[in-house]
Amino acid sequence: MSELFDAVDALLASRAALPPPAERKRLRAAHGLTIDEVATALKVRRATVSGWESGKTEPRPPERDAYARLLDKLAELYPATQADTATPAAPVVDAAVPATFTAAPAPAEAQTLSTGEAPEAAAMTATENSQTPALVAAAPAAAARPARTARTSSTSRRPGAKKAAQAGTPAGGADPRFENGPLAVVDVEDGKVLAYCTGGLVLDVPAKSIPALVDWTLTEAKLGAPKLSGPGRPADPLLVLTEAACERYGLPVTLTAEEKDAGRIPEGHKVIKQLTRAEWKLTKRGFGPWARIYRPAKGSERQCVQLCIPSWNALDSRFWGGAAQLPPAELARVLGVYASRVMTPRGSTAVTGLELMTALHPPTHAVRDEETGVLRQSETKTPGSLGKDPVDCAPCEAPDGHPLLADLPRFHVRGPAEKLFEEAYEWARPMTDAECTLRYLVGLDVNMAFAAGANGLIVGLGEPTHVKNPVFDPKLPGSWLVDLSHVDLSRVKVGKEWVELDGSLLPSPFTPKGDRPTGPAWYATPTVAYAVELGYDVAPTEAYVRYDNGRYLDGWYQRLRDAYLATMADLGVDADLSPEDFLAAMDGYKERDPELAIVVSAIKATVKGGLGKLRERPRGEGWRPGERWRALERPTWRPDIRAAVISRTRINLHRKIVKHAAFTGQYPIAILSDCVVYASNGPSPLDFLPYREGKPLPGGFKLGINPGLVKHEGTQTVLWGEEVRERFGAPALNLARFIKDGTVTDADNGE
């Protein structure tokens, strides 16, 4: 009988009415619960709970039953007061996952989104803030995206009036200092200088010069973003100058060839002289595509504004697509979404990726002086950070030309026993006779592969310690000199069982080219740990290990993962789709909202670029081998961390390949970084992936949008593959490079 009662209770719970989204957030906050704690208890993602609280999605059984029970219990403990129900609840916008961009809010809702206040309070605020910048009135709220033609000659201006927020960009946060959002695109229309902000807001700009524009930004514009971590600092406001704005403020629309090479305009330019007279300073990189203009901080007060100039190639088309050609309102939307979900851009996507690491783990923190009671910077580094002082890498981790290698003979080429060489896969092999009888070549691409490789990874936080004949510890980050040539891929452990494989059809997991090692070589910890996982003993003869270590990249991964998943969800690709629905949703997803597709591309570039910056090489400036270069002075110049992430990413892919081969007998044809190609009888990944009743092979390839899962990269015919290889006379030509659209040109030359 109790089982029947339980079944009835579950049935009732599945149809129970849930409180409004804002009330769900109130109840959680009243009990002091975080979104992460609720997500962990219900065994769902953080973004899922955030979606429930924002009204973007609704829970489904069985999670709905448990969520309803949690809310019921919290409602008993914290009943709603009259103050809670006096005004309509404002839509909740979670910081990590802004509201969806497919529909515009009603004007009253838009007001609330922009100010974080109830409509009545917002109206009062508009009256009180008579000294705020003039605001251009709203375009129709029904528009899904900001339109350049929204402002017409009949548009009225009302000082202090807030424009209705357009769907497509998050409005400013609750902090009144940044109520107009993190950035603005400055343009000139009909002789008027306008600043297009996020949320569809447009400000009148009274500034007549660059120094005045900087002053206006810091004193009146209310631009910027809250800090991302406790010890951190708020993001500086970002101004994006269009070509018309450059002309208005005396800047060149484009850079000359010499200026492009230098990365800046000359020191004698009239705008730089204006800034100098106004006592503003520029950073060492000068006035370039991403210029930072500042005055030395006084106490805790920071005065800094960043400029972005798209016509100077600030928004590289390789990573930002056609963003530089967008009208101001659309560009503000694209950059605003990126800023709210990742961070306000600090330069290229690579620079921003690196800056995000520092913003989440600031090197220092404030402490109160016991004698004076005044706050000051701590002399010790913040726990979990890299600190404020750079550390030298181990000699084996140093790239060619590093000062640590200055004593090597000129033109000496270091081999595997001298140099750590952890790079992404670039491997291919000829097809077997059996594979040639199949019809298709199908490419799989691992989503956010390098971000997934960073998740949960223990990396060194301090300097390396040299150890002779160490005992290998898979939890100790570092570089190990060990011989792995004895690892035989024909017989390996998969889980607890030994399996027989065709090792000749598998790439070695220990080298980027997939060649089997021939002797001792330097490897990062994840690579050596994988040899142990495959069932083989290891005996390092030397190591550089880091006893000060931690999961430095976890927050970085989570921030970028949430940004990626939220943006893909806005494009109609949800994380909970079935394999068939996922493949259908991915088909043409970029065309659904090309602007958000640009954001997806920028997020991916932030991952790869940020990791690449960890081992930034010299960039001209008269550098010679053996000399230090500028990047070495950063605490974030850490080639060991980059190597560990790449090592783990490559190992993650190889582990899936081995499990797939052990279960299906299928082997990859080619691998390029995070793309792997298989021969198949059908054109779809579902034609060869071993799904059973919708469930994938445990530990193998799984279709989905989450980082580490795979999507369909492209399909070509086996005949196409053979023709391409014959054309270039290369039986092992890497077909993964061309699998997406099948285009191969003579310029590729088989490489």
Side-chain angles (χ1 to χ4, degrees):
M1 184 65 70
S2 62
E3 293 181 358
L4 293 176
F5 288 165
D6 291 341
V8 170
D9 289 343
L11 188 62
L12 292 173
S14 68
R15 297 296 188 272
L18 296 174
E23 176 67 3
R24 302 171 195 174
K25 181 179 181 181
R26 184 192 73 80
L27 291 172
R28 172 181 60 76
H31 200 61
L33 299 174
T34 66
I35 291 180
D36 288 320
E37 289 174 326
V38 174
T40 300
L42 299 180
K43 297 181 179 179
V44 297
R45 295 184 299 106
R46 182 189 191 280
T48 301
V49 177
S50 178
W52 296 345
E53 291 190 355
S54 67
K56 177 181 171 182
T57 59
E58 287 296 316
R60 294 177 293 185
E63 291 83 6
R64 180 188 175 93
D65 307 350
Y67 190 49
R69 181 178 179 82
L70 171 66
L71 295 176
D72 286 343
K73 295 296 183 182
L74 292 176
E76 293 175 5
L77 295 172
Y78 310 100
T81 63
Q82 185 173 358
D84 294 325
T85 58
T87 59
V92 179
V93 180
D94 186 73
V97 187
T100 186
F101 298 95
T102 55
E109 294 175 326
Q111 179 80 5
T112 306
L113 283 168
S114 297
T115 63
E117 303 169 328
E120 294 86 347
M124 186 179 298
T125 303
T127 303
E128 293 172 351
N129 293 345
S130 58
Q131 301 304 314
T132 56
L135 309 173
V136 180
R145 293 197 293 267
R148 184 173 177 85
T149 57
R151 179 180 176 271
T152 65
S153 59
S154 62
T155 300
S156 61
R157 292 201 192 103
R158 294 180 293 114
K162 182 75 66 177
K163 180 175 179 178
Q166 301 283 350
T169 41
D175 193 323
R177 296 175 297 170
F178 316 126
E179 69 174 66
N180 292 336
L183 56 89
V185 179
V186 180
D187 191 31
V188 180
E189 290 187 16
D190 301 327
K192 300 290 185 181
V193 182
L194 302 176
Y196 290 80
C197 305
T198 59
L201 178 70
V202 184
L203 306 178
D204 278 325
V205 181
K208 305 296 184 182
S209 66
I210 289 293
L213 181 64
V214 174
D215 278 323
W216 172 83
T217 303
L218 293 173
T219 58
E220 299 183 54
K222 295 189 175 183
L223 296 173
K227 59 187 178 181
L228 296 180
S229 65
R233 59 176 176 79
D236 298 320
L238 171 66
L239 296 181
V240 184
L241 304 184
T242 65
E243 293 184 8
C246 287
E247 290 183 1
R248 170 60 66 93
Y249 289 116
L251 291 169
V253 172
T254 58
L255 298 179
T256 65
E258 292 182 357
E259 291 168 344
K260 288 180 181 178
D261 291 339
R264 66 188 76 185
I265 58 177
E267 294 293 329
H269 193 279
K270 64 178 182 180
V271 170
I272 297 181
K273 291 180 178 179
Q274 292 172 359
L275 290 169
T276 302
R277 285 196 297 269
E279 299 183 345
W280 288 106
K281 296 179 179 294
L282 293 165
T283 58
K284 290 182 179 180
R285 61 181 169 183
F287 203 123
W290 292 91
R292 300 190 69 78
I293 303 172
Y294 72 98
R295 285 185 179 133
K298 297 179 180 179
S300 60
E301 183 182 356
R302 180 179 172 86
Q303 297 186 76
C304 184
V305 173
Q306 178 155 309
L307 301 184
C308 166
I309 306 179
S311 62
W312 295 6
N313 199 35
L315 301 176
D316 193 318
S317 60
R318 293 173 297 173
F319 315 123
W320 288 100
Q325 284 72 48
L326 290 174
E330 282 82 347
L331 181 55
R333 178 188 183 227
V334 168
L335 295 177
V337 174
Y338 180 90
S340 68
R341 294 180 172 177
V342 180
M343 70 179 299
T344 305
R346 296 286 302 274
S348 66
T349 50
V351 169
T352 304
L354 198 68
E355 291 289 341
L356 179 60
M357 297 180 195
T358 303
L360 294 170
H361 290 286
T364 60
H365 55 283
V367 295
R368 194 171 297 279
D369 191 293
E370 295 181 358
E371 297 181 358
T372 64
V374 177
L375 288 175
R376 59 176 175 79
Q377 287 294 318
S378 171
E379 296 180 0
T380 59
K381 75 173 187 176
T382 304
S385 77
L386 299 180
K388 61 181 180 180
D389 298 318
V391 297
D392 277 336
C393 61
C396 63
E397 298 163 351
D400 295 337
H402 192 281
L404 288 174
L405 311 175
D407 293 335
L408 289 178
R410 192 179 184 187
F411 305 120
H412 175 74
V413 178
R414 293 184 294 161
E418 299 173 279
K419 179 180 179 180
L420 177 70
F421 192 65
E422 295 283 10
E423 297 295 339
Y425 263 131
E426 185 169 359
W427 169 87
R429 63 170 176 83
M431 283 185 278
T432 65
D433 291 342
E435 289 166 342
C436 287
T437 64
L438 302 177
R439 296 186 61 189
Y440 297 99
L441 297 175
V442 182
L444 300 176
D445 181 73
V446 182
N447 296 313
M448 300 273 283
F450 294 98
N455 182 31
L457 179 64
I458 300 175
V459 300
L461 302 178
E463 59 187 16
T465 300
H466 189 211
V467 184
K468 287 285 190 179
N469 299 314
V471 176
F472 176 68
D473 182 352
K475 295 183 179 179
L476 188 59
S479 301
W480 310 78
L481 181 61
V482 58
D483 189 347
L484 299 180
S485 60
H486 63 291
V487 178
D488 184 4
L489 295 180
S490 298
R491 187 173 185 270
V492 297
K493 265 190 175 181
V494 177
K496 296 181 179 180
E497 302 292 332
W498 286 92
V499 298
E500 304 288 337
L501 300 172
D502 188 343
S504 66
L505 301 180
L506 285 171
S508 168
F510 309 126
T511 62
K513 296 293 185 182
D515 301 325
R516 185 170 179 169
T518 57
W522 286 98
Y523 302 102
T525 297
T527 302
V528 185
Y530 187 55
V532 176
E533 179 184 328
L534 292 176
Y536 291 86
D537 295 330
V538 297
T541 58
E542 191 178 349
Y544 288 91
V545 297
R546 289 169 170 83
Y547 295 108
D548 179 12
N549 55 64
R551 294 168 60 160
Y552 175 72
L553 295 172
D554 273 11
W556 183 80
Y557 160 77
Q558 291 161 8
R559 181 84 178 173
L560 290 164
R561 174 204 62 192
D562 290 349
Y564 176 68
L565 292 179
T567 311
M568 289 301 295
D570 290 338
L571 287 165
V573 186
D574 192 77
D576 301 322
L577 295 174
S578 67
E580 294 81 4
D581 290 342
F582 169 70
L583 291 174
M586 286 295 294
D587 187 17
Y589 76 93
K590 292 182 180 180
E591 284 70 38
R592 292 174 200 144
D593 192 329
E595 292 170 14
L596 289 185
I598 292 175
V599 178
V600 171
S601 175
I603 293 170
K604 292 179 180 179
T606 303
V607 173
K608 292 186 177 181
L611 294 172
K613 277 281 185 180
L614 292 170
R615 200 191 66 165
E616 184 177 357
R617 302 303 306 276
R619 302 176 64 183
E621 302 174 351
W623 174 83
R624 293 182 179 181
E627 298 176 346
R628 295 186 69 84
W629 59 92
R630 183 184 299 180
L632 298 185
E633 308 309 320
R634 295 193 320 247
T636 49
W637 192 85
R638 293 295 301 272
D640 57 299
I641 296 179
R642 172 188 177 273
V645 173
I646 294 176
S647 163
R648 193 163 186 245
T649 302
R650 193 181 67 246
I651 295 307
N652 285 346
L653 179 57
H654 195 275
R655 185 181 292 112
K656 289 181 172 64
I657 289 170
V658 166
K659 290 192 175 182
H660 184 83
F663 189 80
T664 67
Q666 298 169 338
Y667 296 85
I669 302 295
I671 308 173
L672 182 67
S673 187
D674 47 9
C675 175
V676 56
V677 176
Y678 282 90
S680 169
N681 263 326
S684 167
L686 291 175
D687 291 319
F688 72 94
L689 292 181
Y691 272 82
R692 288 185 176 178
E693 298 179 355
K695 296 182 179 180
L697 172 68
F701 296 105
K702 179 182 178 181
L703 290 167
I705 199 59
N706 279 291
L709 305 189
V710 298
K711 62 179 181 291
H712 184 204
E713 177 70 0
T715 295
Q716 306 297 329
T717 64
V718 168
L719 181 60
W720 165 86
E722 287 302 294
E723 287 178 346
V724 168
R725 285 177 165 174
E726 288 180 9
R727 173 181 171 186
F728 289 105
L733 177 71
N734 197 325
L735 298 176
R737 187 182 302 277
F738 319 109
I739 194 70
K740 189 168 188 175
D741 59 12
T743 302
V744 186
T745 65
D746 291 331
D748 292 306
N749 198 27
E751 296 181 6

